[in-house]
Amino acid sequence: MRERNVDERPVAESGGGVSARPMLAKDREGYIGRHGLWSEAQYAAAGQMRRVLDELGIEMVRFSFVDQHGVLRGKTIARGGIAAAMRSGVTAPSSLLLKDTSGKSVFSVFSAETGVGLAGFSGAGDIVMVPDPATFRVLPWAPKTGWILCDVHFPDGSPVPLCTRSILRNELTALASRGYAMTVGAELEFHVYRADAADLTDANIGSPGNPGAARATGPTTRGSQLLYEEGLDRMQPLVDALYRGLTLLDLPLRSIELEFGPSQFELTMEAGPAREVADAIVLCRSAVRRIAAGLGYHATFMSRPQGTEGASTGWHLHQSLTDASGDNVFMPDAPGASMSLLGASYLAGILEHAPAAAAFTTPTVNGYKRYQPNSLAPDRIAWGIDNKGAMVRAVGGNRDPATRLENRSGEPAANPYLYIASQLISGMDGVDRGLIPPAPTNDPYNTAAPALPSSLGSAVEALAEDSAFRSALGEVVVDWFCTIKRAEFSRYLRHVSDWEQREYFDIF
């Protein structure tokens, strides 16, 4: 996210004449200062944040981190505790990093040997959320409330290797040491339904609770009319609210579009530095859901809700590398070429590691039901030149500074840090080994190319066996993620679905 200068923020009338609040020496005496966890730029941003708190009369700040599933977790700190939280962070149970999507702890959190392979997790002891002042925002939907994104550390100041924001930062740091930077752009699809609120009852609590028992939902658009202007007009109050909210949050919104399926929409974001875009996506998803709820809608980034047989939602990730001068190193020199030699090797790496990377690009059971032929979602590991049916779409060419690769296999629920890191690990392995991609496909759904994994279980096993991911992320991180996702997939396999009940209960 672009750091907005404090002078660009609105100033409360009652706060006129309030001067900037620089960080004092005592502010560096807490946990963050003792362990040297902030840069000078972050101390400066913290000083700007303090001024905004005063000028706008902010009463609460949400300190949040992104868990392994891409979900925001955290605590809301009242005005009197904000200064201390900015000096010493905010504690949270370490077991939050050891849970599947139902909230069930997958590891033995109360045992001396948790099975994680790392010290610091036994007894569900605390980790420390260390705020990044550059991410501070004032929430437009919550009165006098701010929000700040955190990294997680152990009490001794060392980073938690399972912090997904840190995982991406480490990969980007390694990339920078080679003289490159990563640029990404995001297209996020989602569904919006009319929500008929109902009282919360015993029928919709559990692990996880049943959302259908709490609220009935209905469609908001008819579907089958891609980019239909009048269809979007009918949702203008939501469009206006999304524009205002996302703009106030300083997110790099590029477009709001009506997608093909009933109740299906898309947001696109301007391309930018990988870490900033990942941060923006985290806040964007939360904002969309909250803004929609405020208007009586339910927005979901689940890839394939019930009733969406022909219109699953995806997350198309555009990516390219630049050199120290800012030039796009994917751009080819030769007329007629779609990609430079480096870009071609990067592409080959993405294709080779696609089965393993799928555990990160498509980390839910539901997302694999999107991989269907002739659906604008890929079902095979292939690439094409400006072909939206292929898993990877190559865009640009000779003298086009926007030359890039678009991976169309991801689902919008993916953890953005792990999704982007998976592409970087895959692509740079291709560069290191000088891999050459196969010929581009002109018929992506009728090709001899290998199929994408058919299930989360298959993708997780591919990840467990992928040496490039183990080398880049480390054995502990790969085993931790695989253990959580295996447990999640195992619960799915044990569940008796409505399909099974309809198919077998009567005839057998």
Side-chain angles (χ1 to χ4, degrees), residues 443-486:
D443 195 3
Y445 296 112
N446 291 287
T447 178
L452 279 160
S454 60
S455 69
L456 176 61
S458 297
V460 169
E461 295 313 311
L463 173 61
E465 297 172 3
D466 192 293
S467 59
F469 277 95
R470 287 192 173 275
S471 175
L473 298 177
E475 301 283 343
V476 168
V477 171
V478 171
D479 289 342
W480 157 75
F481 191 81
C482 288
T483 298
I484 289 175
K485 288 299 172 180
R486 282 173 178 144

mmCIF file of all heavy atoms in Angstrom, residues 443-486:
data_model
loop_
_atom_site.group_PDB
_atom_site.id
_atom_site.type_symbol
_atom_site.label_atom_id
_atom_site.label_comp_id
_atom_site.label_asym_id
_atom_site.label_seq_id
_atom_site.Cartn_x
_atom_site.Cartn_y
_atom_site.Cartn_z
ATOM 1 N N ASP A 443 -5.316 -24.175 -27.886
ATOM 2 C CA ASP A 443 -6.559 -24.888 -27.562
ATOM 3 C C ASP A 443 -6.432 -25.413 -26.135
ATOM 4 O O ASP A 443 -6.243 -26.618 -25.920
ATOM 5 C CB ASP A 443 -6.760 -26.028 -28.558
ATOM 6 C CG ASP A 443 -8.170 -26.585 -28.532
ATOM 7 O OD1 ASP A 443 -9.009 -26.032 -27.774
ATOM 8 O OD2 ASP A 443 -8.435 -27.567 -29.241
ATOM 9 N N PRO A 444 -6.514 -24.540 -25.140
ATOM 10 C CA PRO A 444 -6.122 -24.898 -23.778
ATOM 11 C C PRO A 444 -6.953 -25.998 -23.126
ATOM 12 O O PRO A 444 -6.487 -26.638 -22.188
ATOM 13 C CB PRO A 444 -6.269 -23.577 -23.013
ATOM 14 C CG PRO A 444 -7.222 -22.774 -23.825
ATOM 15 C CD PRO A 444 -6.960 -23.142 -25.240
ATOM 16 N N TYR A 445 -8.177 -26.217 -23.614
ATOM 17 C CA TYR A 445 -9.009 -27.249 -22.990
ATOM 18 C C TYR A 445 -8.956 -28.580 -23.741
ATOM 19 O O TYR A 445 -9.585 -29.551 -23.337
ATOM 20 C CB TYR A 445 -10.455 -26.769 -22.879
ATOM 21 C CG TYR A 445 -10.596 -25.575 -21.959
ATOM 22 C CD1 TYR A 445 -10.936 -24.322 -22.452
ATOM 23 C CD2 TYR A 445 -10.366 -25.707 -20.595
ATOM 24 C CE1 TYR A 445 -11.048 -23.225 -21.602
ATOM 25 C CE2 TYR A 445 -10.480 -24.621 -19.738
ATOM 26 C CZ TYR A 445 -10.825 -23.391 -20.245
ATOM 27 O OH TYR A 445 -10.943 -22.312 -19.401
ATOM 28 N N ASN A 446 -8.207 -28.625 -24.824
ATOM 29 C CA ASN A 446 -8.046 -29.874 -25.568
ATOM 30 C C ASN A 446 -6.563 -30.056 -25.874
ATOM 31 O O ASN A 446 -6.141 -30.117 -27.022
ATOM 32 C CB ASN A 446 -8.858 -29.842 -26.868
ATOM 33 C CG ASN A 446 -10.344 -29.867 -26.614
ATOM 34 O OD1 ASN A 446 -10.901 -30.889 -26.245
ATOM 35 N ND2 ASN A 446 -10.994 -28.726 -26.786
ATOM 36 N N THR A 447 -5.785 -30.145 -24.839
ATOM 37 C CA THR A 447 -4.345 -30.233 -24.989
ATOM 38 C C THR A 447 -3.825 -31.458 -24.259
ATOM 39 O O THR A 447 -4.480 -31.995 -23.357
ATOM 40 C CB THR A 447 -3.671 -28.966 -24.431
ATOM 41 O OG1 THR A 447 -2.260 -29.086 -24.550
ATOM 42 C CG2 THR A 447 -4.034 -28.752 -22.971
ATOM 43 N N ALA A 448 -2.656 -31.880 -24.665
ATOM 44 C CA ALA A 448 -2.030 -33.023 -23.993
ATOM 45 C C ALA A 448 -1.307 -32.609 -22.727
ATOM 46 O O ALA A 448 -0.671 -33.430 -22.074
ATOM 47 C CB ALA A 448 -1.061 -33.701 -24.953
ATOM 48 N N ALA A 449 -1.376 -31.341 -22.371
ATOM 49 C CA ALA A 449 -0.695 -30.853 -21.171
ATOM 50 C C ALA A 449 -1.261 -31.537 -19.931
ATOM 51 O O ALA A 449 -2.428 -31.919 -19.890
ATOM 52 C CB ALA A 449 -0.870 -29.342 -21.055
ATOM 53 N N PRO A 450 -0.444 -31.704 -18.898
ATOM 54 C CA PRO A 450 -0.927 -32.346 -17.665
ATOM 55 C C PRO A 450 -2.019 -31.521 -16.999
ATOM 56 O O PRO A 450 -2.063 -30.295 -17.122
ATOM 57 C CB PRO A 450 0.326 -32.429 -16.787
ATOM 58 C CG PRO A 450 1.246 -31.380 -17.322
ATOM 59 C CD PRO A 450 0.985 -31.306 -18.793
ATOM 60 N N ALA A 451 -2.896 -32.221 -16.296
ATOM 61 C CA ALA A 451 -3.999 -31.552 -15.615
ATOM 62 C C ALA A 451 -3.518 -30.902 -14.324
ATOM 63 O O ALA A 451 -2.563 -31.369 -13.693
ATOM 64 C CB ALA A 451 -5.111 -32.555 -15.311
ATOM 65 N N LEU A 452 -4.156 -29.832 -13.949
ATOM 66 C CA LEU A 452 -3.952 -29.256 -12.633
ATOM 67 C C LEU A 452 -4.433 -30.253 -11.584
ATOM 68 O O LEU A 452 -5.241 -31.140 -11.883
ATOM 69 C CB LEU A 452 -4.726 -27.947 -12.504
ATOM 70 C CG LEU A 452 -4.063 -26.710 -13.115
ATOM 71 C CD1 LEU A 452 -5.089 -25.608 -13.367
ATOM 72 C CD2 LEU A 452 -2.954 -26.206 -12.198
ATOM 73 N N PRO A 453 -3.959 -30.156 -10.346
ATOM 74 C CA PRO A 453 -4.444 -31.085 -9.316
ATOM 75 C C PRO A 453 -5.966 -31.055 -9.221
ATOM 76 O O PRO A 453 -6.592 -30.000 -9.346
ATOM 77 C CB PRO A 453 -3.799 -30.536 -8.037
ATOM 78 C CG PRO A 453 -2.574 -29.837 -8.501
ATOM 79 C CD PRO A 453 -2.938 -29.236 -9.819
ATOM 80 N N SER A 454 -6.546 -32.216 -8.998
ATOM 81 C CA SER A 454 -8.007 -32.325 -8.950
ATOM 82 C C SER A 454 -8.571 -32.057 -7.567
ATOM 83 O O SER A 454 -9.784 -31.961 -7.406
ATOM 84 C CB SER A 454 -8.442 -33.719 -9.419
ATOM 85 O OG SER A 454 -7.867 -34.711 -8.575
ATOM 86 N N SER A 455 -7.708 -31.957 -6.575
ATOM 87 C CA SER A 455 -8.191 -31.747 -5.211
ATOM 88 C C SER A 455 -7.108 -31.080 -4.375
ATOM 89 O O SER A 455 -5.916 -31.093 -4.738
ATOM 90 C CB SER A 455 -8.578 -33.078 -4.564
ATOM 91 O OG SER A 455 -7.416 -33.862 -4.316
ATOM 92 N N LEU A 456 -7.516 -30.518 -3.261
ATOM 93 C CA LEU A 456 -6.564 -29.945 -2.320
ATOM 94 C C LEU A 456 -5.595 -31.010 -1.835
ATOM 95 O O LEU A 456 -4.395 -30.745 -1.679
ATOM 96 C CB LEU A 456 -7.308 -29.324 -1.140
ATOM 97 C CG LEU A 456 -6.451 -28.746 -0.009
ATOM 98 C CD1 LEU A 456 -5.552 -27.625 -0.511
ATOM 99 C CD2 LEU A 456 -7.328 -28.261 1.144
ATOM 100 N N GLY A 457 -6.084 -32.223 -1.613
ATOM 101 C CA GLY A 457 -5.208 -33.297 -1.155
ATOM 102 C C GLY A 457 -4.079 -33.573 -2.129
ATOM 103 O O GLY A 457 -2.918 -33.744 -1.725
ATOM 104 N N SER A 458 -4.394 -33.608 -3.428
ATOM 105 C CA SER A 458 -3.366 -33.854 -4.446
ATOM 106 C C SER A 458 -2.343 -32.728 -4.483
ATOM 107 O O SER A 458 -1.137 -32.967 -4.623
ATOM 108 C CB SER A 458 -4.027 -34.001 -5.823
ATOM 109 O OG SER A 458 -4.895 -35.115 -5.854
ATOM 110 N N ALA A 459 -2.815 -31.489 -4.358
ATOM 111 C CA ALA A 459 -1.896 -30.353 -4.385
ATOM 112 C C ALA A 459 -0.965 -30.366 -3.180
ATOM 113 O O ALA A 459 0.231 -30.082 -3.305
ATOM 114 C CB ALA A 459 -2.693 -29.050 -4.424
ATOM 115 N N VAL A 460 -1.489 -30.696 -2.018
ATOM 116 C CA VAL A 460 -0.670 -30.723 -0.810
ATOM 117 C C VAL A 460 0.416 -31.797 -0.918
ATOM 118 O O VAL A 460 1.558 -31.581 -0.522
ATOM 119 C CB VAL A 460 -1.556 -30.943 0.434
ATOM 120 C CG1 VAL A 460 -0.707 -31.250 1.657
ATOM 121 C CG2 VAL A 460 -2.406 -29.699 0.682
ATOM 122 N N GLU A 461 0.079 -32.941 -1.470
ATOM 123 C CA GLU A 461 1.094 -33.983 -1.643
ATOM 124 C C GLU A 461 2.161 -33.551 -2.631
ATOM 125 O O GLU A 461 3.348 -33.859 -2.455
ATOM 126 C CB GLU A 461 0.429 -35.294 -2.079
ATOM 127 C CG GLU A 461 -0.497 -35.896 -1.033
ATOM 128 C CD GLU A 461 0.127 -35.929 0.362
ATOM 129 O OE1 GLU A 461 1.285 -36.386 0.502
ATOM 130 O OE2 GLU A 461 -0.534 -35.478 1.319
ATOM 131 N N ALA A 462 1.766 -32.818 -3.672
ATOM 132 C CA ALA A 462 2.757 -32.296 -4.617
ATOM 133 C C ALA A 462 3.681 -31.294 -3.931
ATOM 134 O O ALA A 462 4.892 -31.281 -4.168
ATOM 135 C CB ALA A 462 2.053 -31.646 -5.804
ATOM 136 N N LEU A 463 3.107 -30.451 -3.074
ATOM 137 C CA LEU A 463 3.924 -29.497 -2.332
ATOM 138 C C LEU A 463 4.896 -30.216 -1.404
ATOM 139 O O LEU A 463 6.080 -29.845 -1.311
ATOM 140 C CB LEU A 463 3.029 -28.563 -1.518
ATOM 141 C CG LEU A 463 3.729 -27.600 -0.553
ATOM 142 C CD1 LEU A 463 4.660 -26.651 -1.307
ATOM 143 C CD2 LEU A 463 2.705 -26.812 0.264
ATOM 144 N N ALA A 464 4.428 -31.238 -0.731
ATOM 145 C CA ALA A 464 5.275 -31.967 0.218
ATOM 146 C C ALA A 464 6.497 -32.573 -0.468
ATOM 147 O O ALA A 464 7.549 -32.744 0.164
ATOM 148 C CB ALA A 464 4.461 -33.059 0.909
ATOM 149 N N GLU A 465 6.385 -32.883 -1.751
ATOM 150 C CA GLU A 465 7.463 -33.545 -2.484
ATOM 151 C C GLU A 465 8.298 -32.586 -3.321
ATOM 152 O O GLU A 465 9.237 -33.016 -4.000
ATOM 153 C CB GLU A 465 6.863 -34.629 -3.388
ATOM 154 C CG GLU A 465 6.149 -35.742 -2.614
ATOM 155 C CD GLU A 465 5.402 -36.690 -3.524
ATOM 156 O OE1 GLU A 465 5.483 -36.505 -4.769
ATOM 157 O OE2 GLU A 465 4.720 -37.598 -3.010
ATOM 158 N N ASP A 466 7.981 -31.287 -3.307
ATOM 159 C CA ASP A 466 8.653 -30.336 -4.187
ATOM 160 C C ASP A 466 9.914 -29.792 -3.518
ATOM 161 O O ASP A 466 9.845 -29.062 -2.521
ATOM 162 C CB ASP A 466 7.693 -29.195 -4.543
ATOM 163 C CG ASP A 466 8.213 -28.333 -5.670
ATOM 164 O OD1 ASP A 466 9.227 -27.640 -5.457
ATOM 165 O OD2 ASP A 466 7.614 -28.353 -6.764
ATOM 166 N N SER A 467 11.066 -30.111 -4.070
ATOM 167 C CA SER A 467 12.338 -29.722 -3.452
ATOM 168 C C SER A 467 12.585 -28.222 -3.538
ATOM 169 O O SER A 467 13.231 -27.642 -2.654
ATOM 170 C CB SER A 467 13.491 -30.483 -4.108
ATOM 171 O OG SER A 467 13.544 -30.209 -5.505
ATOM 172 N N ALA A 468 12.088 -27.556 -4.574
ATOM 173 C CA ALA A 468 12.305 -26.111 -4.702
ATOM 174 C C ALA A 468 11.594 -25.360 -3.575
ATOM 175 O O ALA A 468 12.139 -24.409 -3.001
ATOM 176 C CB ALA A 468 11.820 -25.614 -6.065
ATOM 177 N N PHE A 469 10.388 -25.770 -3.251
ATOM 178 C CA PHE A 469 9.664 -25.120 -2.162
ATOM 179 C C PHE A 469 10.302 -25.430 -0.811
ATOM 180 O O PHE A 469 10.382 -24.565 0.067
ATOM 181 C CB PHE A 469 8.193 -25.529 -2.181
ATOM 182 C CG PHE A 469 7.367 -24.726 -3.141
ATOM 183 C CD1 PHE A 469 7.115 -25.197 -4.424
ATOM 184 C CD2 PHE A 469 6.866 -23.490 -2.782
ATOM 185 C CE1 PHE A 469 6.358 -24.457 -5.318
ATOM 186 C CE2 PHE A 469 6.119 -22.728 -3.668
ATOM 187 C CZ PHE A 469 5.864 -23.216 -4.957
ATOM 188 N N ARG A 470 10.763 -26.650 -0.637
ATOM 189 C CA ARG A 470 11.415 -26.991 0.629
ATOM 190 C C ARG A 470 12.714 -26.211 0.796
ATOM 191 O O ARG A 470 13.052 -25.779 1.899
ATOM 192 C CB ARG A 470 11.666 -28.499 0.703
ATOM 193 C CG ARG A 470 10.388 -29.298 0.937
ATOM 194 C CD ARG A 470 10.662 -30.740 1.291
ATOM 195 N NE ARG A 470 9.429 -31.417 1.663
ATOM 196 C CZ ARG A 470 8.892 -31.413 2.881
ATOM 197 N NH1 ARG A 470 9.496 -30.755 3.857
ATOM 198 N NH2 ARG A 470 7.771 -32.050 3.135
ATOM 199 N N SER A 471 13.431 -26.017 -0.295
ATOM 200 C CA SER A 471 14.675 -25.268 -0.217
ATOM 201 C C SER A 471 14.422 -23.799 0.091
ATOM 202 O O SER A 471 15.119 -23.180 0.896
ATOM 203 C CB SER A 471 15.443 -25.403 -1.535
ATOM 204 O OG SER A 471 16.598 -24.609 -1.548
ATOM 205 N N ALA A 472 13.396 -23.214 -0.548
ATOM 206 C CA ALA A 472 13.125 -21.790 -0.378
ATOM 207 C C ALA A 472 12.470 -21.474 0.963
ATOM 208 O O ALA A 472 12.851 -20.519 1.644
ATOM 209 C CB ALA A 472 12.236 -21.295 -1.523
ATOM 210 N N LEU A 473 11.479 -22.270 1.357
ATOM 211 C CA LEU A 473 10.693 -21.979 2.561
ATOM 212 C C LEU A 473 11.233 -22.659 3.805
ATOM 213 O O LEU A 473 10.970 -22.207 4.920
ATOM 214 C CB LEU A 473 9.241 -22.397 2.341
ATOM 215 C CG LEU A 473 8.482 -21.681 1.223
ATOM 216 C CD1 LEU A 473 7.080 -22.272 1.081
ATOM 217 C CD2 LEU A 473 8.412 -20.183 1.489
ATOM 218 N N GLY A 474 11.950 -23.746 3.603
ATOM 219 C CA GLY A 474 12.437 -24.527 4.735
ATOM 220 C C GLY A 474 11.514 -25.687 5.040
ATOM 221 O O GLY A 474 10.305 -25.633 4.792
ATOM 222 N N GLU A 475 12.075 -26.745 5.579
ATOM 223 C CA GLU A 475 11.309 -27.951 5.881
ATOM 224 C C GLU A 475 10.170 -27.658 6.860
ATOM 225 O O GLU A 475 9.056 -28.162 6.712
ATOM 226 C CB GLU A 475 12.237 -29.021 6.467
ATOM 227 C CG GLU A 475 13.398 -29.439 5.572
ATOM 228 C CD GLU A 475 12.965 -30.368 4.451
ATOM 229 O OE1 GLU A 475 11.862 -30.936 4.554
ATOM 230 O OE2 GLU A 475 13.737 -30.516 3.480
ATOM 231 N N VAL A 476 10.453 -26.843 7.877
ATOM 232 C CA VAL A 476 9.455 -26.595 8.919
ATOM 233 C C VAL A 476 8.216 -25.924 8.342
ATOM 234 O O VAL A 476 7.081 -26.319 8.640
ATOM 235 C CB VAL A 476 10.063 -25.738 10.044
ATOM 236 C CG1 VAL A 476 8.973 -25.219 10.986
ATOM 237 C CG2 VAL A 476 11.076 -26.558 10.837
ATOM 238 N N VAL A 477 8.402 -24.909 7.521
ATOM 239 C CA VAL A 477 7.265 -24.176 6.964
ATOM 240 C C VAL A 477 6.439 -25.067 6.047
ATOM 241 O O VAL A 477 5.199 -25.089 6.124
ATOM 242 C CB VAL A 477 7.748 -22.913 6.223
ATOM 243 C CG1 VAL A 477 6.604 -22.268 5.448
ATOM 244 C CG2 VAL A 477 8.333 -21.912 7.206
ATOM 245 N N VAL A 478 7.095 -25.810 5.177
ATOM 246 C CA VAL A 478 6.357 -26.691 4.265
ATOM 247 C C VAL A 478 5.593 -27.755 5.045
ATOM 248 O O VAL A 478 4.404 -28.010 4.786
ATOM 249 C CB VAL A 478 7.305 -27.325 3.232
ATOM 250 C CG1 VAL A 478 6.581 -28.401 2.423
ATOM 251 C CG2 VAL A 478 7.865 -26.260 2.291
ATOM 252 N N ASP A 479 6.239 -28.394 6.015
ATOM 253 C CA ASP A 479 5.571 -29.439 6.791
ATOM 254 C C ASP A 479 4.416 -28.869 7.611
ATOM 255 O O ASP A 479 3.365 -29.514 7.754
ATOM 256 C CB ASP A 479 6.573 -30.148 7.699
ATOM 257 C CG ASP A 479 7.551 -31.020 6.934
ATOM 258 O OD1 ASP A 479 7.261 -31.348 5.759
ATOM 259 O OD2 ASP A 479 8.613 -31.361 7.488
ATOM 260 N N TRP A 480 4.600 -27.676 8.181
ATOM 261 C CA TRP A 480 3.527 -27.001 8.938
ATOM 262 C C TRP A 480 2.316 -26.773 8.059
ATOM 263 O O TRP A 480 1.182 -27.132 8.424
ATOM 264 C CB TRP A 480 4.069 -25.672 9.474
ATOM 265 C CG TRP A 480 3.048 -24.630 9.798
ATOM 266 C CD1 TRP A 480 2.217 -24.588 10.863
ATOM 267 C CD2 TRP A 480 2.780 -23.431 9.038
ATOM 268 N NE1 TRP A 480 1.446 -23.451 10.828
ATOM 269 C CE2 TRP A 480 1.778 -22.723 9.717
ATOM 270 C CE3 TRP A 480 3.305 -22.896 7.859
ATOM 271 C CZ2 TRP A 480 1.269 -21.505 9.247
ATOM 272 C CZ3 TRP A 480 2.817 -21.686 7.399
ATOM 273 C CH2 TRP A 480 1.814 -21.010 8.082
ATOM 274 N N PHE A 481 2.515 -26.203 6.881
ATOM 275 C CA PHE A 481 1.397 -25.903 6.001
ATOM 276 C C PHE A 481 0.722 -27.177 5.517
ATOM 277 O O PHE A 481 -0.517 -27.278 5.496
ATOM 278 C CB PHE A 481 1.873 -25.065 4.812
ATOM 279 C CG PHE A 481 0.757 -24.485 3.992
ATOM 280 C CD1 PHE A 481 0.116 -23.326 4.401
ATOM 281 C CD2 PHE A 481 0.345 -25.108 2.827
ATOM 282 C CE1 PHE A 481 -0.921 -22.793 3.648
ATOM 283 C CE2 PHE A 481 -0.693 -24.590 2.065
ATOM 284 C CZ PHE A 481 -1.334 -23.421 2.467
ATOM 285 N N CYS A 482 1.514 -28.176 5.139
ATOM 286 C CA CYS A 482 0.949 -29.439 4.658
ATOM 287 C C CYS A 482 0.146 -30.139 5.754
ATOM 288 O O CYS A 482 -0.913 -30.719 5.491
ATOM 289 C CB CYS A 482 2.057 -30.354 4.146
ATOM 290 S SG CYS A 482 2.810 -29.834 2.582
ATOM 291 N N THR A 483 0.628 -30.093 6.988
ATOM 292 C CA THR A 483 -0.081 -30.731 8.091
ATOM 293 C C THR A 483 -1.455 -30.098 8.297
ATOM 294 O O THR A 483 -2.465 -30.799 8.472
ATOM 295 C CB THR A 483 0.734 -30.629 9.396
ATOM 296 O OG1 THR A 483 1.964 -31.318 9.216
ATOM 297 C CG2 THR A 483 -0.016 -31.237 10.569
ATOM 298 N N ILE A 484 -1.516 -28.781 8.261
ATOM 299 C CA ILE A 484 -2.795 -28.092 8.435
ATOM 300 C C ILE A 484 -3.743 -28.423 7.298
ATOM 301 O O ILE A 484 -4.931 -28.731 7.515
ATOM 302 C CB ILE A 484 -2.563 -26.572 8.530
ATOM 303 C CG1 ILE A 484 -1.895 -26.225 9.868
ATOM 304 C CG2 ILE A 484 -3.872 -25.807 8.383
ATOM 305 C CD1 ILE A 484 -1.520 -24.775 10.013
ATOM 306 N N LYS A 485 -3.262 -28.398 6.074
ATOM 307 C CA LYS A 485 -4.140 -28.635 4.931
ATOM 308 C C LYS A 485 -4.532 -30.109 4.809
ATOM 309 O O LYS A 485 -5.636 -30.428 4.351
ATOM 310 C CB LYS A 485 -3.472 -28.137 3.646
ATOM 311 C CG LYS A 485 -3.428 -26.611 3.566
ATOM 312 C CD LYS A 485 -4.835 -26.030 3.581
ATOM 313 C CE LYS A 485 -4.877 -24.543 3.694
ATOM 314 N NZ LYS A 485 -6.264 -24.012 3.705
ATOM 315 N N ARG A 486 -3.675 -31.019 5.219
ATOM 316 C CA ARG A 486 -4.076 -32.428 5.239
ATOM 317 C C ARG A 486 -5.210 -32.653 6.220
ATOM 318 O O ARG A 486 -6.152 -33.412 5.949
ATOM 319 C CB ARG A 486 -2.873 -33.305 5.588
ATOM 320 C CG ARG A 486 -1.909 -33.551 4.446
ATOM 321 C CD ARG A 486 -0.683 -34.286 4.928
ATOM 322 N NE ARG A 486 0.249 -34.589 3.851
ATOM 323 C CZ ARG A 486 1.567 -34.572 3.977
ATOM 324 N NH1 ARG A 486 2.120 -34.253 5.156
ATOM 325 N NH2 ARG A 486 2.346 -34.859 2.958
#
